Amino acid sequence: TIRKDVAPFDGVKSFAVEEATENYVNYPLSVYNVPDWLSYEFLDEYTMKVTVTDATQISSGYYCLFNSSNSVSALPYTMSAELAERTTPGLEIGIGGFGSIETTNPSNLNLGKIGDRYFRTIQYKSGWKYEIGVRINLDFSFKNGDYIIIRKPQIEEKPFASSFVVGSRPKGRL
């Protein structure tokens, strides 16, 4: 990956070497745990839009989840996704049972920026299936039509995030 440096070193002068990785999210995307007061649609093969259809019924929790394609080992896993768009910060990118990936401080209401990719590394126990999807934060208000768009969800068996890949990427060579 070649990256443009920021000032004061303008221009293309640096590069990064990505290591091998596997994305454990199943593609094409499919979701589960969709309550009656939410709807979802796939905008393309890597992007999902989740919309509030009945704000009077909304409750906290994790919904419209993608899970790991298999049970995981007791190693660190990193979940990541891009926040493409949203109408309320109460709709967050979250990890089932572990909170938001936009902040590690649940009381921090200054959450992610549109267009940024967010990640969180968790180490749990063998046999667990990690889940990434929409977290409802009731510290905010909701109205019908509020939505979030999540792009390129990824679950990797490593203690850090790498760039998005569908399936797996072999180890590269310089």
Side-chain angles (χ1 to χ4, degrees), residues 87-106:
T87 58
T88 175
L91 297 170
E92 304 173 357
I93 303 172
I95 300 169
F98 291 96
S100 173
I101 67 172
E102 297 176 47
T103 178
T104 55
N105 179 0

Side-chain angles (χ1 to χ4, degrees), residues 46-85:
Y46 311 117
T47 308
M48 177 181 68
K49 179 179 181 180
V50 175
T51 304
V52 175
T53 56
D54 186 352
T56 65
Q57 300 297 313
I58 204 161
S59 63
S60 64
Y62 302 88
Y63 303 101
C64 299
L65 296 166
F66 314 104
N67 71 349
S68 50
S69 55
N70 56 358
S71 296
V72 299
S73 59
L75 296 170
Y77 279 74
T78 300
M79 275 71 46
S80 61
E82 179 185 329
L83 175 58
E85 197 175 317

Side-chain angles (χ1 to χ4, degrees), residues 20-23 165-170:
T21 192
E22 182 170 351
N23 185 351
V165 63
V166 175
S168 62
R169 174 178 49 237

Side-chain angles (χ1 to χ4, degrees), residues 37-39 50-55 58 91 142-147:
W37 43 268
L38 284 178
S39 67
V50 175
T51 304
V52 175
T53 56
D54 186 352
I58 204 161
L91 297 170
F142 299 88
K143 63 184 181 313
N144 290 352
D146 278 339
Y147 67 89

Side-chain angles (χ1 to χ4, degrees), residues 127-171:
W128 184 260
K129 283 194 171 197
Y130 286 116
E131 306 166 319
I132 185 170
V134 176
R135 178 177 181 258
I136 303 296
N137 183 341
L138 292 179
D139 290 334
F140 299 92
S141 61
F142 299 88
K143 63 184 181 313
N144 290 352
D146 278 339
Y147 67 89
I148 185 172
I149 297 176
I150 298 173
R151 185 176 292 135
K152 299 178 179 177
Q154 184 155 293
I155 300 173
E156 301 174 89
E157 184 182 327
K158 57 180 54 174
F160 55 87
S162 65
S163 63
F164 176 74
V165 63
V166 175
S168 62
R169 174 178 49 237
K171 186 176 180 180

